[in-house]
Structure formats: C-alpha cells, structure tokens
Amino acid sequence: MRTAFMAGNWKMNKTPSEAVAFAKELVEALKGANAKALVAPTFVALPGVAEVVKGSNVLLGAQNMASVESGAHTGEVSADMLLDIGVQYVILGHSERRAIYGETDSLINTKVKFAIEKGLLPILCVGETLEEREAGKLEEVILTQVKEGLKGVSEADLAKVTIAYEPVWAIGTGKTATPDDADAVHKYIRKVIADLYSGSAADAIIIQYGGSVKPDNVKELMAMENIDGALVGGASLKTDSFKSIVFFDK
Ligand code: PGA
C-alpha cells in the first residue's frame, strides 16, 4: 500500500514573513489529512517555516541542495545546514534546475547520493520536454534520467527516494498530461525500477505527478494505478487549493 504524498513546491515565491503566515494557515488547514503533505519554501524562508510546522503533520522540504559538504562554494546551501533547521526532504533535479541552471544527471546523482548519506529524503524529478516527446524520445529520456539519477543508490536506500514525473511542457502552462498519459509514464518508471532493482522495489516506490496539478484535476490523476501523489507548483501557493489537493480523497 503506497501512501499518497502531496508536495508543494513554492519555487521563488513568498518572502520569509509571507511564508510563515501562509504556513500557519496550512498547518491548520491540513490537520487530519490522510495524505502526507510537504511544503518546500525558499531557503531563506525555511527557518521560519520550520518553526511553524514543527509538531504538525506538515513535512518540510528544500528545493535544492549543494552537492558537497561545505567550504568555498559561494551561494550554495549545504545538507547539514538544512538538517540543522529541521528540513526532512529535498527536491532534486527539478526541470527548472536542469534547464535554467544547467544541472546534469551526473550532478543530480551526486546530490541524490549525498542527500541520502546525510539523512535527507530526496524527491528526484524527471520529465521530458515537448520536443523530446514529439521526437519519440520519451522513454529514452525517462530511462536516462531515472537510471543516471539513481546510479549507485542501493535498493535499501531507494526506499528513501520519491520520484516526481513532471513533463516539462505541463509545468506552469495549465496543460496537464491526461491521466492515462501520465499513468503510462509512471508505469514505465516502475518498469525501469523493476529492471534496475526488483519488482518489490518498483511496487513500493512513490511516484508523484507534477505539472499543472489543480483541485479540479487531482482526483482523476490520483485515481490512476501508478500515480501516488503530486508535486504542485502554482496551486500550492494558496491555502484552499493546496488543501483541496491534499484532501483529494475527501
Ligand atoms: P506547476 O509546477 O504545478 O505550477 O505546474 C509544478 C512543478 O514545477 O513542480
């Protein structure tokens, strides 16, 4: 049985004080949810939000993390710094990090392994662009991103990893993959995991869908066999819409 897992990626939105006020509302709104719920504010909002969510059922994630321990890395934030303020999860390999900041599968893999080693739980994002999909390269792209992203991760450690399938063309565009299309890719990711690890690892892994998830499409997505949750951008920025997503089963 896979527990539904809804994550709100706030991206570069909300100042620290806005984030704290919003987190207070969310902690109240999300009480009693069956699904796991996570918020991922910006780095500077993490300490304040950590205080607010402490002791609640709202989990805390970062949107990125440095690939190295510490030292001369201007502008980076380390795993130890995140752990020190109570961060539990880290989103890695988001398509915006890949496309805008040039993150490669190899860098993302280093971060995934480092997060696990440090005790942070990675949410590894994968997804194809529209050009790749139209060129018939969907499976090739997903295979590479999953395989390279998880290189060197043991089956025991895979249990700490969540995968988020986010077709790049569906992010922030209002275009969602149809539930059938999304489920087909999730099913393919499970096959890749079964080939790399085992059938039981493939059954157990949580695979979120991301890309214009909204209160009005979450139910049909979650009804699909291989979709276990959502990584939500835009619709995670308002209490009502994120609440409806987390309570999709009510
Ligand atoms: P969106 O973003 O829900 O605004 O499409 C999803 C994401 O990028 O994680």
Side-chain angles (χ1 to χ4, degrees), residues 42-83:
T42 62
F43 287 132
V44 288
L46 280 169
V49 172
E51 287 302 312
V52 176
V53 301
K54 200 183 275 174
S56 79
N57 62 332
V58 178
L59 301 162
L60 188 62
Q63 298 173 16
N64 187 23
M65 183 198 84
S67 61
V68 289
E69 182 89 38
S70 64
H73 292 274
T74 303
E76 291 289 299
V77 174
S78 77
D80 284 334
M81 294 168 190
L82 298 176
L83 287 162

Side-chain angles (χ1 to χ4, degrees), residues 84-162:
D84 187 69
I85 51 175
V87 172
Q88 297 138 312
Y89 285 80
V90 59
I91 299 170
L92 295 173
H94 190 279
S95 64
E96 288 151 18
R97 301 293 323 165
R98 293 176 188 263
I100 310 172
Y101 299 99
E103 293 201 6
T104 60
D105 284 320
S106 151
L107 176 71
I108 294 159
N109 175 245
T110 303
K111 292 184 180 188
V112 167
K113 286 187 292 191
F114 196 51
I116 294 171
E117 187 188 317
K118 284 290 178 178
L120 284 164
L121 304 170
I123 299 177
L124 169 64
C125 303
V126 300
E128 82 288 2
T129 63
L130 191 57
E131 297 73 60
E132 288 164 341
R133 177 174 274 255
E134 285 175 347
K137 291 189 177 152
L138 169 62
E139 292 196 348
E140 182 188 326
V141 170
I142 299 297
L143 173 65
T144 303
Q145 291 181 354
V146 172
K147 201 171 167 183
E148 296 303 311
L150 294 175
K151 203 177 235 171
V153 174
S154 69
E155 182 157 345
D157 282 340
L158 184 72
K160 299 167 187 160
V161 178
T162 301

